[in-house]
Amino acid sequence: MAMADDLRPVPIQELQTLAEGRHWSVDQDLNGLESLTPVRGQVHAVHRGNVLEVEGEASTIVTLCCDRCLQHFNHPLSFSTRELLWLGEDARDAGVDEQAVMDGDGSVLDLDADALTESLDPRGDFDPAHWTFEQLSLRLPLVNRCGSDCPGPATWSSDPDGGDPRWAALRNLKP
């Protein structure tokens, strides 16, 4: 296995020269992700001809605000995934088919071209910290609920007709 490295971006052309790719251990806070605990995990990237194969796993705990009761709660966030990143122009625009996606040794990779939704400039860099951030961000819930026992919205009174006092002026307009 390749040596562990910090999470700095690495030129894709440098990855091309490493037969086993590069391995990163993740144990730090990530820019743009407010978390209670450092993100811990690993990322591994291997240059495979015209694709970059990236796989990794990581986890952390984030604090979210419940959309229903507005209370804050802790939420575990984790991923374990493998992704192929097309090196060059968008794979669909380039008319890539399964035969065009080859490993560095000329063997065809087992995938379908529709799986190649992301692309990178082969003269650019791969940023493992940003990739990890993206994977965790994709796993954030669309609707934040603190749990099945969520008390719901705060009420202003025990009187069912009391209602929200902010609407009192409108209630006074009723004939």
Side-chain angles (χ1 to χ4, degrees):
M1 172 100 22
M3 65 179 184
D5 199 357
D6 62 8
L7 289 180
R8 288 185 306 209
V10 61
I12 292 173
Q13 292 177 344
E14 181 181 316
L15 288 172
Q16 188 174 10
T17 64
L18 302 171
E20 294 183 22
R22 176 155 291 175
H23 182 84
W24 294 269
S25 291
V26 182
D27 189 6
Q28 66 186 55
D29 293 325
L30 296 177
N31 289 335
L33 183 68
E34 299 282 330
S35 60
L36 290 174
T37 61
V39 176
R40 291 189 175 93
Q42 60 184 351
V43 176
H44 187 239
V46 180
H47 193 286
R48 301 217 183 268
N50 47 9
V51 295
L52 185 66
E53 179 182 2
V54 184
E55 60 184 316
E57 57 184 38
S59 62
T60 190
I61 299 173
V62 295
T63 299
L64 301 174
C65 181
C66 180
D67 293 333
R68 189 162 184 235
C69 69
L70 303 179
Q71 297 298 314
H72 288 89
F73 66 99
N74 295 338
H75 179 74
L77 200 56
S78 64
F79 75 89
S80 179
T81 191
R82 175 180 173 260
E83 182 177 29
L84 296 172
L85 305 171
W86 178 255
L87 299 175
E89 62 183 275
D90 189 318
R92 291 174 300 226
D93 292 344
V96 173
D97 60 11
E98 293 175 9
Q99 288 72 31
V101 182
M102 296 187 180
D103 200 342
D105 64 4
S107 61
V108 176
L109 290 174
D110 184 24
L111 70 117
D112 96 43
D114 290 334
L116 298 170
T117 58
E118 298 291 325
S119 61
L120 293 174
D121 182 349
R123 298 169 304 237
D125 296 336
F126 171 70
D127 186 347
H130 186 71
W131 185 82
T132 302
F133 165 80
E134 288 176 338
Q135 299 307 312
L136 287 169
S137 295
L138 288 170
R139 274 122 184 119
L140 285 168
L142 294 176
V143 177
N144 297 327
R145 290 284 164 88
C146 61
S148 59
D149 58 343
C150 177
T155 57
W156 293 97
S157 73
S158 58
D159 178 15
D161 295 327
D164 187 334
R166 296 173 292 183
W167 293 97
L170 289 177
R171 274 195 301 279
N172 292 338
L173 295 175
K174 285 201 262 181

